[in-house]
């Protein structure tokens, strides 16, 4: 058992932009019509509560917005908003709003036949840019009519990962810049309040793309509202059968990569300080990345969440739930899906990492301590923090927290680790049922909640001293708050628990 | 740490009448109109599921059934079923049926003014026995019209604890026997399918009452369908402020008392083998009995539930929830209430003891092992059991269970003890808030669930050997079932959790 | 069939203070613990939505706030907020806030034993005014701690109908003034933001009381925030069996009585313009007033609601639902209860009158027409109004409404009358079941919804001309709004309904 | 106004197989994953309650059951039950079970590329019949493991409409017979309790197919458990824009066609009396058949439902709801969809026809009267019936019903016609909004409920005489039952409604 010590100085101030609940990712929008998806999102919203949700496929054929037809020898266009209205109605009912990713291409508007994924999203440029921007603006007009002026505050991003040939035909940079420019100008002309971002790239060749994009914008006199990119943190995976195994990359190396984007942006006078949105991030970038379901994923992401806000205004975990079809229908309950929750609303360990950061944010935004394995904030009546352990031996962390009085303090800990909150292990131990029954799901779920413990500590010499154990791959959330004992007349707890 | 060993022989057969879910108690029926009561009952029914519910006050004035009025100089009687219908509608909707305790006395039908409790139940004999039996029969007629023939299977009991002067004026034995006889005969004449029991006594002077009651019945040629009595297991409490502190009695002494009733009944040729129902049981007999909220209560009752069925057909825990007013409105969240759940549906440790016995019953009714601190059943593919520890030092119990093959077995344990499932402690640690906010209730609730753990064990030489730790005042439920590993193509759990 | 004509000039402006949704009444607060009460309130809030709710019995013993106990030979006081917190939690969850009526007297704080109602509210002055104001302030302190600063905006009223000896011992005016003064001063001293009103009288001897109260306040230098009184509109009822039959009074006579209060208040320089709140109003003032369940009640109140705002800032219908116990537990489904809805959430015709006024308010607050049987408002794209018929022959009202264009308009009518929305009649026709089954309740409910009809009318010469039939005791809500036909490609409604 | 007279003789017995609730149709199974679909089904099940549900696409790629993969140079097969389990779990939760239609072809198992519909169901024979039957049996094995022995009672049908080249490549009869034989034999060999039917044809060339199918079965010694076919009743539609307009066919002509199938089956000694299932029926056979949303559809189907049971054991309306994608995503709220309910759970008039037949079935199965526009059943305490009017002038039908006593009877009518229950008209009148807001949906829904009315009729000379108006395209449900008036003490309805 390792030992560590943390001394907290309440007057210290650490930069800590905890924007954990700004946005979350989702598989293609069409899946938002399904019940399982909405139940998972309802759970996530009730427990954590994100402001925005971003997914692919807004213009893909299953959402069915764009239609051409022949009339009197002419080709005409009409739009169908039946499904997109239903989807956004559901989102708003759950207190979440769309982060509009404009893509992919409707079949009838596409210039080619290249598709991506099991669900066949067309990834070619429009055959006619005017028809594309007409479609985009018609949608915004429709949304504003239905949902009111607030629509102008919904973020917009142009396309997804054009730097990959699968996502954008030949990864053609010039063509993407054209798409961005046409779209950006059309939207700003319609209503300049809309915020539009790009280039939505992933980590492949990122520096080249960011520089080219900014140079293009500078040249064309465009000022994007945000620079957007993605952030995944594993090495290239090994595929065995249905599953992808991959090694985690060094956290510092990944943070450095993010910093390089920040630096490039800031190197342009015109764009210095422009907000950066990580419109996707996770560990593994495949929907069969088995690491997603593990406790180490939760711990690794705890460190990520303590730092992502340093160089980025926002960052959106990909994805909230396991309803996802990019590589087909999941073959089994636990299958390495991107989700924070598995089918049947089983929270994975990683779910709790996000839950803890949200609790931390609700507690306070004044950070007083941060190291590689901890972040702590304070408010008037106490402290709250998150501790984690990424694949190291079990550790006891001694915390010395300064306080201004000598009263009692209540320490609450919520622990998620391989011993006490490990649904993957329970599922494995009962035989890895691919399609669990309702009873099996309930059983697995009963092993998926943090262990909550409490203790009372008296301040001594202006310091509250406590010890918190963080086991290998564990994440621990704690609050330490001043305690006021208000026993009812005649109630003596010590006697209650000892007299029998 | 103590060590203990249990060797399970699957061919052994132990008498074990696990009737845990037959009936549960409730405060006066009028409280069944309230939302908090129904929410608690809904939770209990969903998680455990009892068949019957028994409470006082069916004929008390708040249910408002009996009314006299003057017309043309005559006193006439009319009945009002508005509330009792609403109550029973609610019960049936929750899948539970009434165990009809006939009492107390409507004010207008009473021969005196003595009342009991904060809610003033009149506990005097009827001023007119004919009007009493008319009222009883009119109710049964009404219920049968509304709910159908199934009503004849709802158990009936005449009055409550007439051996106490508070519950029955002067504890007048002859008067009670008269009440029983008149009621019994009227009901049997109306429809002999109804099952009617008595004398519903508590442990005070019980042998005298049981003998006198049976002798009376014999003399009068009555054959009650069940003998009913109560069973509490604490010494006389010390009252401090609002609260009652009392010592637990020796379990064996209490079992012996129950056996003595069984023996008395069986000593009559006419009544030999007549079913006995414990229509109330718990540890403390006061609604401010602080022990009810503790872990030791859960452990003590685990032993009770392993044995109560030996001499009694049925036994009904008093009560399912904390909505209760006999000594006034509860002053605080945890106040020693009788309930398995506290306000806001916080399960107390004792709730889990009942939950575990229900799970055990669903698993199997073939008992293969029982000692003072354990009970184990088996079915084809494995074993299930409950272990407990009543105020002794932490213990590791080694279980050796015979099996017929050499495959792997999954051991699931669900542990409730002072460390991992102790909502009372968490509430105390945050200062004992009398009226917790919603957030405080959720926090306390998060410390009120069992810790679920699993492991896989390979049978060796036809024996599965496991170790289960049962801490002081802990209750542990386990299942050990044959495991069939059905890994999906390419899924290798060991690699999943180690490769990163 | 009578004929009537209404010509609407959109430039006309009529004074019309439509404050229909400010407050609604309820039986004693303790009933807010019950499920049926909360289900009815949930329905009313979902369909209409009131801001405040006012009921008796805040300090009555069933809510159980005030307690005295002996300790060391001294009498001490303690408070119990378990139930009041539960009640207010429920209210806030349903989007409604308490209008705090301070009363009646806790038994232990009372100077006498006089009680009122089946539920025995003590209506005597406090034995000790200091203990009374301590209790009041302690409650406000507690509420502010639990619910925050918004509590200071919850209206407060001192006691209920002190001008009746049943509600206030001997209707002792001086004693009431003392109560008002002590309470008013204590609250203002604690937090002057609280708004406190009185004297909460009913119509008996009202002028004398109002004058004396205002003179007292003037003399004592008190400035109440509101003057409060009640408003019922029937003659003294005839009681037959359980039920009260009474004749409606002339509406104008009742409006004149309200005007007289307004005039008295305005005759004091100090109090001129002080808001008046009718903290209770209805037709019959008994909970067995059979008229409450009829269609004429709905029509009579339609006229009331068109005028009550003229002299009064606010007016609160007594009561939202039929869960009520002042004269005992209801004997039958329809029993003349005060409620807008009957048990099982059956809306009575009167419910729709309130619903229609709420819809009218949501439509617009610009009144352009009002007569004894109609009120009409306008906004940019059309008109909305309510028409009624109080016990006169069926009438066709021709409406000529000026518009500024020649497009089509959609007229929607929702009709509630004895033919199409009369649950009382259906219940009678099926035999007046006192305790309907679930199926009977659903059947009755199916006859309790307005008939919704629509038609399209083309404007001619700047006028839309329509005819609306208002049958005897009917209430009709309508909207007339500009229509924009947006048929989908190929959809031809006339062909759809004629081609087969 | 037409007049008609019906004289009901309670001793008359009419053959009337009212099997309205046996089965209902649905768009492809994959849509059962969506929330809107499940909400509509929940509503339909709560209000009507069907036993089985039949839809296409069980084996289509979106359900994703069948998968081939390469391993070690070999092609292997694996199955994925994630979605089908989720679908059937949802069905069972709603109290409905699948009527298993085996089809269409998984892409990897298909012999060709022909697809049907927007959602591209492959309609070619299997490339390998062994792999097809392996897949079928594997599914049944899986379902039995998950859902138990009840699975053997779920009906099975082989393919859909093979007599149309779009649904079965070239409408190749011999190939279909092969498919039927292989499938039938494999299932019966696995578990002979399964009931398997075919040939699932529509009305095109039906006699030829039925004869050939039966001859084939006779020749091969197969005994199908049911003969299945479809039944639509409109002429070939005219397509305008998105919509299909078509004329209704003569009912008698359609009934005669059904009778011809019955006669063919009965002409075989081996198959005489074999049950016939109409596994689909409706008026129009297109999902844009505008007639589906009208009142005439409801009236026309009322006649159908009175007769379909004469020659067929079962008949399944195509479909319960409007979530359907065969010709793409619906363009507008009302679009001629097959559903009984429109999006947002707006019941169409036709919904009520089914609701009324279910109510009739619950009332009694003893038919005492039937004509072209009426069907009436009786039980001990009265009568119930359905009257309709298919596009004729409004009619008053006088009913003379014999009774055995001279008491009062309650007549309840529920009327659905173009005046009082016509959501399509209201939607049209407000401008035909394609994507109604929540408020618009609620408004339309408020015009979509039957008008419920009641009256009391005294029997005279052993006859109850009543008049029921059935307007053009109206359907009226009625019950006439003996009335027992049980007025509470003092309640006098006539006085209640007249004294004010």
């Amino acid at each position: 058992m390792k030992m560590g010590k943390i001394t907290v100085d309440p007057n210290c101030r650490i930069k800590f932009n905890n924007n954990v609940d700004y946005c979350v990712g989702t598989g293609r929008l069409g899946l938002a019509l399904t019940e399982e998806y909405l139940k998972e999102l309802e759970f996530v919203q009730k427990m954590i509560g994100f402001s925005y949700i971003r997914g692919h496929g807004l213009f893909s054929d299953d959402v069915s917005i764009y239609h051409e037809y022949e009339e009197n020898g002419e080709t005409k266009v009409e739009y169908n908003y039946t499904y997109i209205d239903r989807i956004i109605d559901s989102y708003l009912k759950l207190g979440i709003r769309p982060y509009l990713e404009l893509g992919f291409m409707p079949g009838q508007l596409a210039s080619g036949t290249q598709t991506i994924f099991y669900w066949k999203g067309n990834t070619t440029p429009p055959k006619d840019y005017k028809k594309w921007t007409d479609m985009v603006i018609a949608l915004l007009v429709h949304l504003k009519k239905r949902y009111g002026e607030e629509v102008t505050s919904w973020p917009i991003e142009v396309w997804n990962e054009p730097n990959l040939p699968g996502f954008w035909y030949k990864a053609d940079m010039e063509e993407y810049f054209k798409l961005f420019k046409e779209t950006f100008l059309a939207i700003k002309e319609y209503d300049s309040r809309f915020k539009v971002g790009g280039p939505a790239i992933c980590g492949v060749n990122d520096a080249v793309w960011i520089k080219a994009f900014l140079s293009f914008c500078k040249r064309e006199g465009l000022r994007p509202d945000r620079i957007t990119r993605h952030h995944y943190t594993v090495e290239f995976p090994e595929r065995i059968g249905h599953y992808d195994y991959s090694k985690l990359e060094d956290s510092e190396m990944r943070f450095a990569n993010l910093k390089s984007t920040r630096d490039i942006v800031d190197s342009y006078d015109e764009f210095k300080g422009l907000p950066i949105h990580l419109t996707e991030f996770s560990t593994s970038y495949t929907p069969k990345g088995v690491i997603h379901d593990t406790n180490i994923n939760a711990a690794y992401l705890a460190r990520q969440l303590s730092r992502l806000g340093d160089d980025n205004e926002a960052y959106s975990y990909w994805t909230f739930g396991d309803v996802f079809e990019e590589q087909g229908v999941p073959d089994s309950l636990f299958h390495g899906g991107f989700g924070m929750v598995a089918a049947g609303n089983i929270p994975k360990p990683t779910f709790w990492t996000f839950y803890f950061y949200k609790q931390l944010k609700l507690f306070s935004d004044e950070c007083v301590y941060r190291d590689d394995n901890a972040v702590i904030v304070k408010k008037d009546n106490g402290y709250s923090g998150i501790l984690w352990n990424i694949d190291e031996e079990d550790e006891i962390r001694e915390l010395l927290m300064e306080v201004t009085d000598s009263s009692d303090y209540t320490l609450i800990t919520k622990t998620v680790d391989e011993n006490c909150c490990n649904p993957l292990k329970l599922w494995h131990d009962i035989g890895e049922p691919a399609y669990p029954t309702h009873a099996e799901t309930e059983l697995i779920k009963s092993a998926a909640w943090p262990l909550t413990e409490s203790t009372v500590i008296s301040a001594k010499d202006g310091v509250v001293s406590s010890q918190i154990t963080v086991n290998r791959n564990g994440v621990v959330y704690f609050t330490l708050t001043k305690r006021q004992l208000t026993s009812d007349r005649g109630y003596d707890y010590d006697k209650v628990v000892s007299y029998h």
Side-chain angles (χ1 to χ4, degrees), chain A residues 159-345:
Chain A
W159 211 259
N160 179 72
E161 300 192 358
N163 60 329
L164 293 185
F167 275 110
W168 183 243
Y169 188 59
K170 293 186 179 170
D172 182 333
M173 199 186 266
E174 287 313 308
E175 193 74 29
Y176 174 74
F177 292 169
K178 181 174 180 193
L179 180 80
F180 183 82
K181 178 184 169 188
E182 298 294 329
T183 310
F184 182 89
L185 290 176
I187 294 171
K188 290 291 184 180
E189 187 190 355
Y190 166 54
D191 188 328
S192 62
R193 292 174 294 177
F194 282 103
K195 300 255 185 300
V196 184
I201 56 164
C202 68
V204 173
N205 220 9
D206 54 312
V208 171
W209 269 75
I210 292 290
K211 279 179 207 163
F213 179 69
L214 291 169
S215 298
F216 171 78
C217 287
K218 180 176 175 176
R219 203 160 57 237
E220 298 281 338
L222 310 175
R223 188 182 161 79
D225 296 291
R226 290 115 180 190
I227 300 306
T228 65
R229 64 161 293 179
H230 299 166
H231 173 66
Y232 290 93
T233 53
V234 293
E235 297 176 8
F236 192 79
E238 177 188 8
R239 166 69 55 111
I240 307 175
H242 291 133
Y243 299 98
D244 291 323
Y245 298 79
S246 48
K247 290 204 172 294
L248 286 163
E249 291 180 307
D250 175 62
S251 298
E252 289 306 326
M253 188 262 275
R254 298 307 321 160
F255 290 136
N257 175 251
L258 293 177
K259 180 69 166 57
S260 76
T261 299
R262 178 74 268 165
D263 289 344
I264 293 169
V265 175
D266 290 346
S267 72
Y268 287 75
D269 285 349
E270 296 83 353
F271 304 128
K272 196 173 167 68
L274 211 56
I276 298 175
H277 284 196
L278 305 181
T279 48
E280 292 182 18
F281 79 99
S282 181
T283 51
S284 167
Y285 45 76
T286 107
K288 306 197 161 185
V290 294
I291 199 169
H292 290 132
D293 305 330
T294 65
N295 287 83
I296 196 176
N297 201 68
Y300 186 91
L301 281 161
R303 184 182 292 166
Q304 293 286 315
L305 287 175
S306 77
R307 300 270 293 277
L308 288 181
D310 289 2
D311 289 324
N312 307 286
E313 185 186 57
Y315 36 92
S316 173
Y317 189 63
W318 186 259
T319 63
F320 78 87
D322 264 3
V323 174
F324 200 86
E325 287 187 350
E326 293 189 357
Q327 297 196 16
V329 177
D331 293 281
S332 182
L333 172 63
F334 284 114
H335 59 273
F338 281 113
M340 295 176 187
V341 297
N345 271 335

Side-chain angles (χ1 to χ4, degrees), chain A residues 1 387-389 392-397 417 468-472 474-476:
Chain A
M1 183 82 77
L387 311 175
W388 57 90
N389 176 331
E392 306 202 2
E393 73 175 288
D394 299 350
E395 179 176 18
I396 294 173
R397 299 202 82 177
D417 66 26
I468 297 179
T469 301
V470 192
N471 289 329
R472 182 187 296 267
V475 184
V476 180

Side-chain angles (χ1 to χ4, degrees), chain A residues 146-162:
Chain A
R146 186 174 182 89
Y147 302 111
E149 293 300 312
E150 73 145 281
V151 167
T152 59
S153 68
W154 297 356
I156 297 177
E157 187 180 36
V158 179
W159 211 259
N160 179 72
E161 300 192 358

Side-chain angles (χ1 to χ4, degrees), chain A residues 63-130:
Chain A
V63 177
S64 198
I65 288 176
Y66 183 88
H67 297 272
E68 297 185 353
Y69 63 99
E70 302 294 315
E71 200 173 55
N72 306 326
E74 251 184 296
T75 298
K76 297 181 172 177
V77 172
E78 62 189 359
Y79 306 113
N80 179 330
Y81 300 123
T82 296
Y83 278 0
I84 191 63
D85 281 4
R86 194 171 291 169
I87 290 164
I88 298 182
D89 284 0
S90 294
Y91 284 162
L92 297 185
K93 199 172 152 196
L94 295 175
I96 201 163
R97 288 163 171 73
Y99 192 119
L100 295 165
E101 175 200 319
L102 304 180
F104 299 132
M105 200 54 61
Q108 288 181 303
L109 183 51
S111 59
T113 57
Q114 171 178 295
T115 65
I116 192 168
F117 300 144
Y118 167 82
W119 50 268
K120 300 194 189 312
N122 184 298
T123 51
T124 66
K127 66 179 182 192
D128 177 335
Y129 274 90
K130 179 65 171 47

